[in-house]
Amino acid sequence: MNETHFFNRREKLLEQMKEGAAIIASASHAFRSNDTEYPYRQNSDFYYLTGFEESNAVLVLTKTASEAKTILYVEAYNAEYALWNGAKLGLEGAVERFRVDEVRDVAQYPGEVKDLLREHVNLYIDLFDDSEVLRKAKTAVQELRETRGVKRHIRTYRDVTHLIRTLRLIKSSEEIETIRQAIAITAKAHHIAMRECHAGMREYQLQAAMSYVFLEEGAKSEAYGAIVAGGNNANTLHYVDNRAELRSGDLVLIDAACEWELYASDITRTFPVSGTFSDAQKEVYNAVLDVQLRVIEAIKPGVKRDWLQRMSEELLCDALVALGILKGERGALMEAKEHKKFAPHGIGHWMGLDVHDPCPYVDESGESLAFEPGMVMTIEPGLYFRSDDESVPKRYRGIGIRIEDDILVTENGYDNLSSMIAKTVDEIEAMCNQL
Ligand code: GLY
Ligand code: MN
Ligand code: MN
């Protein structure tokens, strides 16, 4: 993506804004231990509008009846910082790189924010961000109220994240290409895991094999903490311990994926540790796969996530009856939420700059949004049977299966962006047994 893409996004945001100002801050550093930081990751909304990955930066947009203006505050060159950490882009670098009206030194922001807000009535911010940048802005709003001669004051704080995240819902072709790149690397990592897996390994060793691929291919980070769950551990939905031994005869569920240029992928595959599904595992696996394929097949413009959720619950409920795990009629079972015990999570979520992209799911009236071309959603049904659940036939106990792909809504239907990853029983067994 080049600077024109980020410029166009800012233009779209300005179009959506009433007259006023918007202030969007970069992410802060987070400490991991004493003075040691977590790897820095830019705030997704800030990145969406700037493509800038440095910390200590502020984007200010102002809009009046006659003009719109964009100012990017960045850190100026600092010799001491450069000695320890390398030089940041600096003011001159930012002027060349960003198509904004002005680049200014972030050290000036506290002294200038009052002027930037003078005579504006709307201030667009992240209403839940209490960073220093926004505290300074709010103090400026207060001071302006008390300043003689200022005729108009900020009277409304508006949620800028809602506007940005509504734009983020529809991915451009460049964004889709970036997501495809993340998925291509993730596909390679899942296939390596299938091929390298054997009984006696530890879950973290499979994770390491995947992380090697991510780093080797140039991905800077996982998109989220990897879940590598052997056997019954798959029934702990957010299992991230990844330290147990993988046992022959068990399945292993891997929900792991990398991020590429800050865009996520999100993939789950479940496969046999020793390369061959047992009959019981195959029965559950094919039941989940059938639900996944049917839900994906239903995706096209106009369809709503709520419908897919309902459809997936009905299909999973039917599967539970067919497997002999639930008994009774679907309507009554669903009414009593019996299926939720074995299929507790949602069918999928938006994906983009965040793995759980915080784009709206409903419109202004609370109605589920209809799909449009360019939206990307995961489809990830699962069935989970704990080893200690005596209500489940013995042969299924300890089996936990989820299958997750990343789906793009297209003009005519959908494109499964992760369709190259082994998924049928035959494909998985072939991959597991490939040398
Ligand atoms: N990996 C997180 C999720 O599947 O939602
Ligand atoms: Mn997911
Ligand atoms: Mn996932």
Side-chain angles (χ1 to χ4, degrees):
M1 262 165 280
N2 62 35
E3 190 35 42
T4 306
H5 298 116
F6 298 104
F7 173 83
N8 290 340
R9 293 169 181 179
R10 294 191 295 269
E11 290 292 298
K12 281 196 193 150
L13 175 59
L14 280 161
E15 270 170 35
Q16 300 292 316
M17 285 169 53
K18 298 173 190 294
E19 286 178 38
I23 300 181
I24 300 125
S26 63
S28 315
H29 288 275
F31 287 97
R32 181 178 179 278
S33 151
N34 186 22
D35 56 353
T36 308
E37 292 168 358
Y38 284 104
Y40 183 73
R41 167 47 161 88
Q42 188 55 278
N43 171 285
S44 296
D45 290 328
F46 182 87
Y47 182 81
Y48 184 78
L49 295 173
T50 61
F52 193 35
E53 288 194 64
E54 284 187 12
S55 61
N56 202 13
V58 186
L59 177 67
V60 180
L61 310 176
T62 56
K63 177 176 176 178
T64 65
S66 55
E67 66 159 8
K69 188 167 176 178
T70 308
I71 303 168
L72 183 63
Y73 285 94
V74 306
E75 263 188 26
Y77 178 78
N78 175 329
E80 175 72 6
Y81 182 92
L83 172 66
W84 290 94
N85 305 297
K88 285 195 162 188
L89 186 61
L91 294 164
E92 288 83 35
V95 168
E96 268 172 43
R97 159 119 173 252
F98 297 107
R99 217 172 127 192
V100 291
D101 296 310
E102 275 187 50
V103 170
R104 298 186 188 174
D105 183 346
V106 72
Q108 292 169 6
Y109 167 83
E112 294 181 356
V113 63
K114 201 154 89 178
D115 267 343
L116 295 171
L117 300 181
R118 193 179 292 269
E119 302 295 338
H120 284 296
V121 294
N122 291 301
L123 177 55
Y124 288 84
I125 52 172
D126 177 346
L127 300 172
F128 301 100
D129 178 356
D130 72 341
S131 65
E132 192 63 17
V133 167
L134 292 190
R135 282 206 298 275
K136 292 254 161 30
K138 287 176 183 171
T139 304
V141 168
Q142 222 166 352
E143 287 174 5
L144 282 166
R145 271 177 186 269
E146 293 155 10
T147 305
R148 278 179 192 226
V150 179
K151 294 193 213 66
R152 293 166 14 120
H153 305 108
I154 300 286
R155 278 187 276 110
T156 314
Y157 287 145
R158 294 183 182 275
D159 179 14
V160 75
T161 68
H162 181 72
L163 296 183
I164 302 169
R165 293 168 188 185
T166 301
L167 295 174
R168 283 172 56 185
L169 251 180
I170 309 287
K171 275 72 180 170
S172 66
S173 54
E174 293 79 17
E175 288 178 288
I176 300 299
E177 279 317 303
T178 312
I179 291 170
R180 281 187 198 278
Q181 184 61 31
I183 292 172
I185 298 168
T186 295
K188 190 170 173 191
H190 274 272
H191 286 158
I192 295 255
M194 288 177 195
R195 283 159 54 185
E196 292 200 356
C197 185
H198 57 263
M201 269 178 106
R202 296 274 171 176
E203 292 161 341
Y204 56 76
Q205 291 176 308
L206 273 190
Q207 182 181 0
M210 298 184 78
S211 295
Y212 180 85
V213 176
F214 296 159
L215 289 171
E216 211 245 347
E217 293 288 337
K220 286 191 196 162
S221 175
E222 296 177 313
Y224 53 90
I227 295 171
V228 182
N232 189 51
N233 292 335
N235 296 312
T236 301
L237 295 179
H238 287 164
Y239 177 83
V240 286
D241 194 40
N242 302 350
R243 302 205 71 77
E245 187 175 321
L246 295 163
R247 292 179 319 191
S248 173
D250 278 351
L251 297 175
V252 55
L253 180 156
I254 300 186
D255 186 348
C258 72
E259 179 175 287
W260 183 258
E261 289 176 3
L262 277 72
Y263 281 81
S265 50
D266 185 6
I267 300 294
T268 308
R269 287 292 183 270
T270 311
F271 57 90
V273 168
S274 300
T276 311
F277 285 90
S278 70
D279 288 345
Q281 289 165 348
K282 217 183 284 186
E283 286 160 29
V284 182
Y285 189 87
N286 280 328
V288 176
L289 178 60
D290 182 56
V291 174
Q292 204 227 19
L293 295 175
R294 287 165 74 170
V295 172
I296 292 173
E297 204 53 44
I299 292 177
K300 60 181 180 189
V303 165
K304 299 180 172 185
R305 180 188 177 278
D306 271 7
W307 303 352
L308 297 185
Q309 180 63 36
R310 176 82 192 169
M311 175 185 179
S312 68
E313 289 189 34
E314 287 174 356
L315 293 172
L316 287 167
C317 191
D318 290 349
L320 288 162
V321 172
L323 291 167
I325 289 161
L326 292 181
K327 291 183 181 53
E329 184 259 326
R330 182 213 274 168
L333 290 170
M334 287 190 60
E335 180 73 25
K337 301 195 188 323
E338 296 278 348
H339 61 298
K340 290 277 193 188
K341 178 175 166 195
F342 308 108
H345 59 72
I347 187 60
H349 49 83
W350 302 131
M351 191 193 82
L353 276 171
D354 294 293
V355 64
H356 296 163
D357 231 16
C359 306
Y361 283 91
V362 295
D363 63 19
E364 296 297 324
S365 62
E367 275 291 304
S368 186
L369 282 180
F371 288 166
E372 291 175 44
M375 294 177 173
V376 175
M377 175 161 280
T378 67
I379 296 295
E380 49 180 303
L383 285 176
Y384 308 91
F385 307 126
R386 300 187 64 86
S387 58
D388 60 358
D389 186 346
E390 295 185 1
S391 76
V392 170
K394 213 165 182 178
R395 60 201 304 265
Y396 296 137
R397 287 183 211 159
I399 294 179
I401 291 170
R402 177 164 65 256
I403 308 171
E404 176 173 29
D405 283 303
D406 303 334
I407 312 297
L408 167 69
V409 181
T410 61
E411 293 289 340
N412 301 316
Y414 69 89
D415 184 356
N416 181 350
L417 301 175
S418 45
S419 63
M420 74 295 271
I421 308 178
K423 188 161 74 164
T424 63
V425 164
D426 286 348
E427 286 166 355
I428 284 181
E429 289 187 346
M431 188 60 72
C432 288
N433 293 296
Q434 207 180 93
L435 292 179

